[in-house]
Amino acid sequence: MKDLYRKQKNLIQFLGAIGGLYALWFLVYECWIGPNDYVDTWLSERVAHAGARALSLLGYVTSVEKTTIVVNGRPTVFIGNPCNSLALMATFTGLIGAFPGSLNKKLFFIPLGVLAIYLINVLRVAALSLNHIYSHGTVDFNHKYTFSFVVYAFIFSMWIIWVKRYSNLSFELEGQVSSTHG
């Protein structure tokens, strides 16, 4: 058992850290952020306004009604709290926070990643607005599957970048030790 722990020490520590961070996030969200609704509403409004601005740069006449993007006078996308990317930002933060690496690198990479998640979410809602206008019948599919895949793949890619370039974790491959940042 000790031998197994020694070989899997990094994995066990990572899973313990991610479990602890998830429990902390759950308590903070369920006891403060969720019931208060201020953070979620604020972020949903920011995403709606940024999505509308992105569309206006493409020449569309846009406005925002609370958290709904209006394009050319037609409501297109409502940004609900589950779609404002807060949970994704927290998940990304937890993954990077739990994974081995220097604190300085984490303090650089986490805000950069959170900003990137925000920006990809803004692009997602802008694209869904256009999808609503030009192919309304495919909005539900694209919202549930296409854009979810793109966003999750993006976050996974950022995590892989962290693991390969910035973490201080070493892997043992076929008897040889290789560093992730060599």
Side-chain angles (χ1 to χ4, degrees):
M1 192 65 157
K2 284 183 183 180
D3 190 41
L4 177 64
Y5 174 77
R6 225 173 315 139
K7 286 184 178 180
Q8 301 301 325
K9 181 181 172 187
N10 288 332
L11 177 62
I12 292 167
Q13 287 175 340
F14 172 73
L15 292 175
I18 203 74
L21 288 170
Y22 176 78
L24 178 64
W25 167 252
F26 181 81
L27 287 172
V28 167
Y29 189 84
E30 292 300 319
C31 295
W32 179 67
I33 295 174
N36 183 3
D37 199 41
Y38 173 77
V39 173
D40 270 321
T41 300
W42 178 84
L43 186 56
S44 295
E45 289 171 352
R46 297 294 69 75
V47 170
H49 283 280
R53 267 186 303 238
L55 291 169
S56 69
L57 291 174
L58 296 174
Y60 292 91
V61 177
T62 64
S63 63
V64 175
E65 296 174 6
K66 294 187 181 183
T67 60
T68 300
I69 297 175
V70 179
V71 180
N72 298 334
R74 292 175 39 198
T76 57
V77 173
F78 166 76
I79 294 90
N81 290 347
C83 294
N84 65 17
S85 72
L86 181 61
L88 295 175
M89 293 173 187
T91 300
F92 175 78
T93 300
L95 281 171
I96 302 305
F99 213 81
S102 79
L103 181 60
N104 285 340
K105 290 178 182 176
K106 289 179 184 186
L107 291 175
F108 168 76
F109 198 77
I110 289 172
L112 186 67
V114 167
L115 177 62
I117 291 167
Y118 172 79
L119 292 173
I120 198 165
N121 197 40
V122 167
L123 293 175
R124 179 185 76 92
V125 299
L128 282 170
S129 289
L130 294 176
N131 189 184
H132 179 86
I133 293 168
Y134 295 108
S135 184
H136 182 71
T138 62
V139 170
D140 192 45
F141 177 85
N142 285 324
H143 176 259
K144 286 182 181 175
Y145 302 108
T146 307
F147 289 113
S148 293
F149 174 78
V150 168
V151 170
Y152 286 115
F154 179 76
I155 292 169
F156 181 73
S157 297
M158 287 192 307
W159 186 61
I160 293 299
I161 290 168
W162 169 260
V163 170
K164 291 189 174 267
R165 293 182 115 191
Y166 300 109
S167 77
N168 57 10
L169 186 64
S170 295
F171 296 99
E172 188 172 318
L173 301 171
E174 298 178 25
Q176 297 176 344
V177 175
S178 68
S179 174
T180 58
H181 55 72

